[in-house]
Amino acid sequence: MVDIATRVYNHKWKIDPIVRSLIDTDFYKLLMCQSVFRNKPQTDVVFSLINRSNHVPLARLIDEGELREQLDHIRSLSLSRGESTWLRGNMFYGKRQMFRSDFMEWFENLRLPPYHLERNGDQYELTFEGKWHEVMLWEIPALAVLMELRSRAVLNDMRRFELQVLYARAMTRVWEKIEKLSAINGLGIADFGTRRRHSFLWQDWCVQAMIEGLGASFTGTSNCLIAMRREVEAIGTNAHELPMVYSALADTDEALAQAPYDVLSDWHDEHDGNLRIILPDTYGTKGFLDNAPDWLAGWTGIRIDSGDPAAAAEVAIDWWKARGENPTGKRIIFSDGLDVEKIQELHAQFAGRANISFGWGTLLTNDFRELVPNDALAPFSLVCKAVSANGRPTVKLSDNPEKAMGPKDQIERYKRVFGVGAQKAIEVIV
């Protein structure tokens, strides 16, 4: 097993780059990329870094030259033969050749497009612009670079024994969480922690700990590179990015109201089984389900990623019942800001009422809270979102108004079109 503390102490980034591969990304990103490659290949999109935690001054913590070196390194990456073979030949969700040959031929020749970086006060403005299926692959590695460079900046002046003790304490914390989770009968849980991880090596260690500590309760990881290396399942379906861009492309209010369902219609044509998971909260869960076509009720399940997770699960269960579906045969995936106590609570409330599982993210792969002075390694909320499509701004409402994004006038328009009323604000921790 890698001695992480020693690797951190002896860091030479060209030996230990932050992003090691184009598949050091989330599985859902590749699935969505293939869908976009097929359905919207001419769409121009801009992605932008958004630091929701303004108290973390990234431009003061991270050297611009070092950031550029890491981003330039990512632009030099291409698929290795082994990675291509794994994507082409592996079985994902019980299906071989999940990735079509035309998509794989394009992906095998891909180099990520240019980025634009400038400093604005204590923050960086980092944007990516181009064809949607190309620039979308910047999101996860860009976040991973910023998160790990921030970690390295904090750790840079620590001595060898300080680092050993720090990682020993962090490992103990993760293991104690895993021990608590191992006591839950019927648990299903996956690692969803790539985008805001402390580091690649740390995420890899966390996955190994879950493999050993949870056994069959550990269902896999969203990180493709780690899934390949550790021979576990790659887990993921789709994200808010798809309805955000489809909606921005809509020419009328009527087309806007239909856009989130157009996304899933395209997805329906490509995938079946466990990949048919609804993510309903982009413009409000209740309104989405109330207006959903009947065929969506037949999908495998739903992922809950904002707002009050228990309330959203109750809404989903009531919706399935109203549509003549048996909720006990449906999957509910909880994935927003989870930690052990919330997982225990949700499992106790919904086990037996649906087939529930958990995507455990930041508080698995980046829980260094209160382990260094000034809590300087505490996780923070950093995102990289599609902010425009073909020159039109994107909008996200969410079930939590604290996560809303987009121009104010467009947010109000989307609230009107999707019938979103008063919402309860919930603090965004990660």
Side-chain angles (χ1 to χ4, degrees):
M1 186 171 291
V2 172
D3 182 345
I4 298 176
T6 297
R7 285 278 276 272
V8 170
Y9 185 77
N10 294 326
H11 253 320
K12 297 281 190 290
W13 82 260
K14 291 180 181 177
I15 298 172
D16 223 6
I18 291 173
V19 176
R20 293 153 165 74
S21 163
L22 285 182
I23 67 166
D24 182 11
T25 192
D26 284 334
F27 187 54
Y28 79 79
K29 203 70 183 177
L30 299 186
L31 293 172
M32 291 195 304
C33 186
Q34 177 171 249
S35 181
V36 172
F37 177 83
R38 176 182 179 182
N39 295 299
K40 302 289 184 183
Q42 298 305 315
T43 303
D44 292 311
V45 171
V46 177
F47 274 76
S48 181
L49 184 77
I50 302 168
N51 184 2
R52 293 172 175 157
S53 305
N54 288 327
H55 65 280
V56 179
L58 291 175
R60 279 200 281 128
L61 289 169
I62 297 170
D63 177 75
E64 182 176 336
E66 189 173 1
L67 174 55
R68 289 185 182 276
E69 282 187 307
Q70 294 287 350
L71 296 173
D72 290 341
H73 171 72
I74 293 169
R75 291 200 66 212
S76 74
L77 295 173
S78 60
L79 283 189
S80 71
R81 181 177 297 178
E83 291 164 351
S84 177
T85 299
W86 181 75
L87 288 171
R88 283 179 176 270
N90 196 48
M91 184 175 289
F92 301 105
Y93 289 105
K95 180 179 178 180
R96 290 202 183 276
Q97 296 182 323
M98 180 76 76
F99 297 101
R100 304 182 332 170
S101 59
D102 58 343
F103 172 76
M104 284 303 305
E105 288 172 9
W106 168 81
F107 193 23
E108 287 161 350
N109 291 292
L110 176 69
R111 299 294 189 281
L112 290 188
Y115 60 88
H116 177 75
L117 174 67
E118 61 182 75
R119 179 169 179 163
N120 184 0
D122 288 340
Q123 301 297 337
Y124 284 116
E125 292 183 358
L126 178 59
T127 57
F128 312 95
E129 183 173 356
K131 296 303 178 190
W132 186 7
H133 56 290
E134 295 180 352
V135 296
M136 68 187 297
L137 294 177
W138 262 116
E139 177 189 356
I140 307 300
L143 291 173
V145 163
L146 268 298
M147 296 301 294
E148 187 162 346
L149 284 178
R150 183 262 198 159
S151 296
R152 292 185 182 187
V154 174
L155 301 174
N156 188 53
D157 295 328
M158 294 181 71
R159 295 167 294 179
R160 184 188 298 269
F161 278 84
E162 285 183 295
L163 289 168
Q164 292 285 359
V165 171
L166 170 67
Y167 281 103
R169 288 173 175 165
M171 288 175 178
T172 299
R173 175 176 289 178
V174 171
W175 188 251
E176 288 176 346
K177 291 182 181 186
I178 288 172
E179 286 181 322
K180 291 178 181 177
L181 292 174
S182 68
I184 301 176
N185 291 326
L187 176 70
I189 189 166
D191 157 44
F192 276 19
T194 300
R195 63 181 55 237
R196 298 192 192 101
R197 67 194 182 195
H198 170 77
S199 70
F200 173 82
L201 294 177
W202 183 248
Q203 184 184 14
D204 187 45
W205 185 91
C206 290
V207 167
Q208 292 177 74
M210 293 180 79
I211 292 170
E212 181 166 320
L214 294 176
S217 294
F218 177 60
T219 57
T221 174
S222 65
N223 186 287
C224 296
L225 182 61
I226 294 174
M228 182 183 75
R229 290 184 176 181
R230 299 298 168 194
E231 297 185 338
V232 297
E233 292 293 326
I235 302 293
T237 51
N238 54 67
H240 302 104
E241 174 186 337
L242 291 178
M244 287 173 66
V245 173
Y246 271 60
S247 296
L249 298 176
D251 291 324
T252 65
D253 285 357
E254 292 73 19
L256 174 58
Q258 181 60 31
Y261 308 114
D262 291 340
V263 169
L264 298 182
S265 178
D266 285 346
W267 194 265
H268 190 92
D269 291 340
E270 293 207 33
H271 300 298
D272 53 19
N274 284 332
L275 285 168
R276 287 188 179 167
I277 299 293
I278 304 166
L279 181 63
D281 69 316
T282 310
Y283 305 118
T285 293
K286 189 176 186 306
F288 177 93
L289 295 178
D290 285 347
N291 295 301
D294 287 338
W295 55 264
L296 263 182
W299 274 32
T300 305
I302 195 167
R303 181 160 73 90
I304 296 172
D305 196 53
S306 67
D308 181 334
E314 295 289 0
V315 168
I317 288 171
D318 289 344
W319 177 68
W320 281 316
K321 289 178 178 178
R323 298 296 179 103
E325 299 284 337
N326 182 358
T328 61
K330 298 295 186 179
R331 179 172 295 279
I332 299 177
I333 304 170
F334 297 99
S335 62
D336 181 33
L338 296 175
D339 209 3
V340 171
E341 292 74 18
K342 180 57 70 172
I343 293 169
Q344 291 171 321
E345 176 187 323
L346 291 168
H347 192 276
Q349 184 173 349
F350 292 101
R353 300 177 62 197
N355 182 8
I356 65 171
S357 60
F358 300 89
W360 193 12
T362 306
L363 294 179
L364 166 66
T365 61
N366 201 359
D367 190 2
F368 285 71
R369 292 173 293 181
E370 300 180 357
L371 293 183
V372 298
N374 302 316
D375 209 12
L377 283 178
F380 65 104
S381 187
L382 184 71
V383 296
C384 183
K385 296 288 188 182
V387 295
S388 73
N390 285 354
R392 298 177 179 176
T394 62
V395 172
K396 180 185 176 188
L397 299 181
S398 177
D399 285 331
N400 179 5
E402 295 296 315
K403 286 188 172 183
M405 59 166 283
K408 186 175 180 180
D409 64 325
Q410 289 299 309
I411 287 177
E412 294 306 314
R413 174 187 173 225
Y414 275 59
K415 284 184 176 180
R416 172 178 56 79
V417 169
F418 291 104
V420 176
Q423 295 177 302
K424 180 181 177 181
I426 298 174
E427 181 185 2
V428 178
I429 300 173
V430 291

